Amino acid sequence: ALKPATPPTTPNPHSSLSPATASGDRMNATFVTLARNEDLWEIIKSIRSVEDRFNRNYNYDWVFLNDKEFSDEFKRTTTAIVSGKTKYGLIPKEHWSFPDFIDQDRAAKVREEMKEAQIIYGDSISYRHMCRYESGFFFRHKLLLDYEWYWRVEPSVSFHCDISYDPFKFMADKKKTYSFTISLHEYEATIPTLWSTVKNFTKTHPQYVSEDNSMAWISDDNGETYNNCHFWSNFEIGNLNWLRSKPYLDFFEALDQAGGFFYERWGDAPVHSIAAALFLKKDQIHFFNDIAYTHVPFTHCPTGEQFRLDHKCTCQSEDNFDWKGYSCTDKYYEVMDMERPVGYEREQD
Ligand code: GDP
Ligand code: MN
């Protein structure tokens, strides 16, 4: 049963905090975490952070997914900390294994080469299953079918400022579909043929490409090549119905058939990002500037001291990644024609 949202405690006269949404404004939404049993004590930290900064006032559900059965310890420990309902799902075997069209020898050879080249997770089979699952399957898990909105949370992440409104409701009210806090360049070596596969797909399905798309953010030459910019998908708030829509599913199917999850090491971040940039309208994507967030090694800490004071932030300006060279957020501001916040230049190096 849902607990009523608790009102904010002592009002801070200097703060721009709005009160918790009334219970009638609850979105059909859940947190979702893919994790292994051994991730327990790192996901616990992430959950504590989400609860302290947001969910203790909103009590949204939390769905945990795993390719193996969750242990009782995992279940009772996470259930004790999540303020909403918790649900635990086993991933069906067919969503976490090699499709039969994959040439095992070729895939093994690639892992060997990537290990030689010291590409991160280059020799890992499970990491590839994980990326493919997050790209094409998590939103179809039985436990997620009842929900419209998701917020992805990984082990070892933290949130640094109070989140004093409901981001799910914001997404719905503003007609947003996908969102991010950190963007950056992908390692080219993990996705050598991703862009040509995308181009083949858009050539055969031109009707899926949105007129007001964000191609300019992911390509510097009008779609000829990929500039490797992507939204970092360890944080996402998004609409599950979009991922379950025919354009997205056809897109995933085409990528999967091309074999790049196994013959290369395609990540779910560039996959989601390219789909969002091409199939959504620009204004369906949202940058959550006010959600301060760290997944090692990068932090998004909102530019502007007054905001950080008002929201009791624990991150510092110099750690903000937004305006650094390897980030794609500056380019996002440019493409979206957004005004950069006062003082951003000081955070550039
Ligand atoms: P990184 O952020 O790219 O370094 O990758 P992570 O190790 O954080 O993995 C991404 C997400 O997938 C995290 O939520 C992990 O808990 C989860 N994950 C990674 N590998 C596995 C796996 O083999 N099984 C399960 N159940 N979850 C996994
Ligand atoms: Mn991670």
Side-chain angles (χ1 to χ4, degrees), residues 185-205:
H185 292 86
E186 182 59 292
Y187 302 114
E188 173 72 30
T190 64
I191 50 160
T193 68
L194 176 58
W195 192 248
S196 59
T197 309
V198 169
K199 285 203 286 188
N200 281 338
F201 179 79
T202 52
K203 208 182 296 164
T204 45
H205 301 81

Side-chain angles (χ1 to χ4, degrees), residues 32-39 43 65-68 70 91 96 120-121 124-131 134 152-156 232 234 265 268 295-296:
V32 60
T33 292
L34 175 68
R36 296 155 288 213
N37 284 311
E38 59 267 31
D39 294 323
I43 194 62
L65 301 173
N66 189 350
D67 57 308
K68 308 216 167 65
F70 279 113
I91 293 168
W96 194 283
I120 184 168
Y121 301 119
S124 171
I125 295 178
S126 66
Y127 194 82
R128 287 183 171 78
H129 287 315
M130 182 278 287
C131 290
E134 294 284 22
R152 175 169 165 183
V153 179
E154 283 200 358
S156 323
W232 221 18
N234 46 66
R265 207 224 65 198
D268 52 285
H295 175 298
V296 170

Side-chain angles (χ1 to χ4, degrees), residues 75-90:
K75 292 190 213 174
R76 66 176 183 266
T77 312
T78 51
T79 293
I81 293 186
V82 173
S83 62
K85 237 193 266 172
T86 49
K87 302 179 187 180
Y88 302 87
L90 180 63

Side-chain angles (χ1 to χ4, degrees), residues 253-284:
E253 183 62 23
L255 298 191
D256 199 31
Q257 290 290 330
F261 291 107
F262 298 104
Y263 300 144
E264 294 177 7
R265 207 224 65 198
W266 295 352
D268 52 285
V271 171
H272 289 179
S273 301
I274 290 170
L278 298 186
F279 308 148
L280 299 178
K281 292 184 290 196
K282 271 185 190 162
D283 63 10
Q284 288 177 282

Side-chain angles (χ1 to χ4, degrees), residues 4-6 18-21 25-27 29-31 46-62 83-84 150-151 153 159-170 235 237 288 290-292 311:
T6 44
S18 53
T21 22
D25 289 335
R26 269 185 90 73
M27 296 294 105
T30 185
F31 291 93
S46 303
I47 297 171
R48 187 66 263 159
S49 180
V50 171
E51 288 290 338
D52 288 345
R53 293 303 195 169
F54 169 69
N55 202 43
R56 69 192 170 92
N57 292 326
Y58 289 85
N59 316 145
Y60 279 107
D61 295 352
W62 206 304
S83 62
Y150 74 103
W151 179 334
V153 179
F159 292 85
H160 308 294
C161 304
D162 283 348
I163 301 166
S164 45
Y165 66 96
D166 183 344
F168 293 123
K169 185 166 158 49
F170 174 91
F235 168 97
I237 299 176
F288 272 113
D290 45 12
I291 298 188
H311 295 80

